[in-house]
Amino acid sequence: MTDAIVIVGAGHAGGRTAETLRAAGVTAPIQLIGAESYPPYERPPLSKDLLTGKIAVEKTYIQPAAYWAEHDIALVLDAPAAALDRAAKQVRLSDGRVLDYATLVLATGGRPRRLSLPGSDSGRVRYLRDIEDTRAIRAALGPDARLAIVGAGVIGLEVAASARALGAAVTVLEVAPMPLGRVVDRALGEWFMALHRGHGVDMRMGVSVQAIRDGAGGAVLELADGATVAADLVVVGIGIVPNAELARDAGLTVDDGIVVDQFGRTADPAIFAVGDVARAFHPTVGRHVRLEAWRNADNQSRAVARVIAGGSEPYVEVPWMWSDQYDINLQVAGLPSAVDASVRRGTDDKFTVIQLKDGAVVGGVTVNQGRDMRPLQQLIAKAAQVDAERLADPAVPLAQIAKGA
Amino acid sequence: MAEDWHKVARRSELAEGEIASATVGDKQVAIYLIDGEVHATDNICTHAFACLSDGYLENGIIECPLHAGRFEVKTGKALGAPVNVDIAVYAVKLVGDDVLVKLG
Ligand SMILES: Cc1cc2nc3c(=O)[nH]c(=O)nc-3n(C[C@H](O)[C@H](O)[C@H](O)COP(=O)(O)OP(=O)(O)OC[C@H]3O[C@@H](n4cnc5c(N)ncnc54)[C@H](O)[C@@H]3O)c2cc1C
């Protein structure tokens, strides 16, 4: 019987899992199986510095390319896994190879949700998830390019900012009344709307794309209200779908992601899931949530690797993500299901919003005010009861409030 | 450089737990007062272009304001992802009220 650990998905979470297993002293064979051609890399630069050309591809790697072999981790690239046989404890790759495992970690991330409209299969329509996507989008962007972005979420707005930096004319089309509806409230949505308008982006909210017509002079997007938008390139950012088919077909519980506990465990004691594909129980949130964020990919995978190595500590961390657009750094902490009051401190272009429910801190946002983020997370972790008046007082540093809470 | 020491701050203007910043030539320096001792590091995070002096300082650890990379101020050691490149640490000396750092 083998003691091999097989990790399917050589992305951020898969890579960190492998790395942490070795760091924890695990000596069993580790196979890290990836569908892509690149070693594990971080995706945040894909819509930012890699898209604008500020950094080279290697800068995104979570470890230098030589690291994996040096640590006796078998990195198998261009090798998507095709099926899972839980009874035989085997993974079959699409090239026919069969791998035996004692422990299996599913780290398959997600794929962009596709538009399904007349004409949306046009070659001018692009999605953004991997390095090749960034390359293709960058190649089509230039000072004279007209870019239409469908979806005013984090990815859409980051692409808008990067495309403006490259000189492209940008239109953002969003069906909701405000941008960033999944991450911030209406007031902040308005703030981001003004930010992008100030940078020359045509922000069209409350519009719905009905069809895309391809022509010699570019694509024409037809909107429900009869208006049209001409574009050389269309980038769609309307969310991701977790790559959970392997787990589902093998009979594991999948419900918007592979359902796992706070240790990353599925119902099968030999199988774990980490990163964007996992819908894990998060003690700080009190329910199962599927996070699509860098820090979760980084730290949840480390925690799960330590569990596999024999540890007993669950992954407990306040959910956190960031986004960079132009010279604006947005950070969001917590995942409140309800907020009944929010307090804003700071100036117009550097501020912190603290979200409360029944007087307890449940979430918060910083805009160019990263200094407040750590104390904010401490308050959220404790669900601290704080006095709203003190919170609003700019003379009292948030760090001081967090220490006293 | 013949004269390696550069004045970057006044000791009397540093506050415990706060971070001052200065520019010397093309270098940006962050100056810290931790338990009464002055320390200096490069001010630019090794992960992305962010000023550590806008970050959060606790227990001798500076957290970058952009992406939460953390460094130990005394040694410059990067404390794990997203940063794996240490930050430069500069020697500090006090001359009267002047805080001097040695670059390079
Ligand atoms: C453009 C972009 C910008 C982002 N910016 C930010 C940001 O600013 N801040 C933030 O907090 N988060 C950001 N994120 C989110 C963050 O990058 C993700 O949360 C993180 O990448 C998730 O890591 P993962 O390992 O779970 O998934 P991934 O990194 O997607 O890795 C999954 C890997 O599994 C592979 N795979 C899938 N199926 C199979 C199979 N059957 N066999 C083998 N391999 C398979 C995939 O090809 C992929 O390489 C961004 C994401 C994107 C796409």
Side-chain angles (χ1 to χ4, degrees), chain A residues 123 189 255 327:
Chain A
D255 175 11
D327 52 356

Side-chain angles (χ1 to χ4, degrees), chain A residues 12 16 42 49 59 61-63 294-295 298 302 320 322 324 329-331 350 368-375 377-378 399 402-403, chain B residues 17-19 46-49 51-59 62-70 79-85:
Chain A
H12 185 165
R16 279 289 183 246
E42 294 185 8
D49 286 358
K59 256 282 273 219
Y61 294 175
I62 71 169
Q63 290 292 351
W294 180 95
R295 179 142 91 190
D298 209 70
R302 290 174 201 262
W320 175 82
W322 86 88
D324 297 318
N329 170 256
L330 165 73
Q331 299 182 33
K350 238 172 120 83
N368 280 0
Q369 194 67 290
R371 174 174 292 183
D372 277 352
M373 231 330 132
R374 183 58 56 178
Q377 289 167 70
Q378 291 165 351
K403 281 209 183 79
Chain B
E18 303 218 333
I19 315 157
T46 55
H47 180 246
F49 193 87
C51 286
L52 294 180
S53 54
D54 293 331
Y56 179 66
L57 180 65
E58 190 177 65
N59 301 327
I62 179 69
E63 181 168 283
C64 173
L66 278 196
H67 310 130
R70 305 171 95 207
L79 300 173
V83 292
N84 40 34
V85 179

Side-chain angles (χ1 to χ4, degrees), chain A residues 216-269:
Chain A
V220 175
L221 292 86
E222 296 174 356
L223 309 184
D225 62 5
T228 57
V229 174
D232 303 300
L233 173 70
V234 181
V235 172
V236 179
I238 55 171
I240 66 166
V241 178
N243 292 323
E245 287 77 6
L246 283 177
R248 188 200 57 203
D249 294 348
L252 292 167
T253 308
V254 170
D255 175 11
D256 180 35
I258 304 169
V259 178
V260 296
D261 65 10
Q262 61 269 46
F263 302 95
R265 301 182 293 211
T266 67
D268 182 329

Side-chain angles (χ1 to χ4, degrees), chain A residues 341-390:
Chain A
S342 63
V343 176
R344 181 169 156 160
R345 40 191 289 146
T347 61
D348 270 353
D349 53 1
K350 238 172 120 83
F351 57 88
T352 299
V353 177
I354 301 128
Q355 299 164 320
L356 304 163
K357 171 91 177 91
D358 301 326
V361 179
V362 289
V365 176
T366 62
V367 171
N368 280 0
Q369 194 67 290
R371 174 174 292 183
D372 277 352
M373 231 330 132
R374 183 58 56 178
L376 192 51
Q377 289 167 70
Q378 291 165 351
L379 290 167
I380 298 168
K382 287 185 233 170
Q385 291 279 338
V386 286
D387 175 27
E389 231 164 84
R390 251 187 111 219

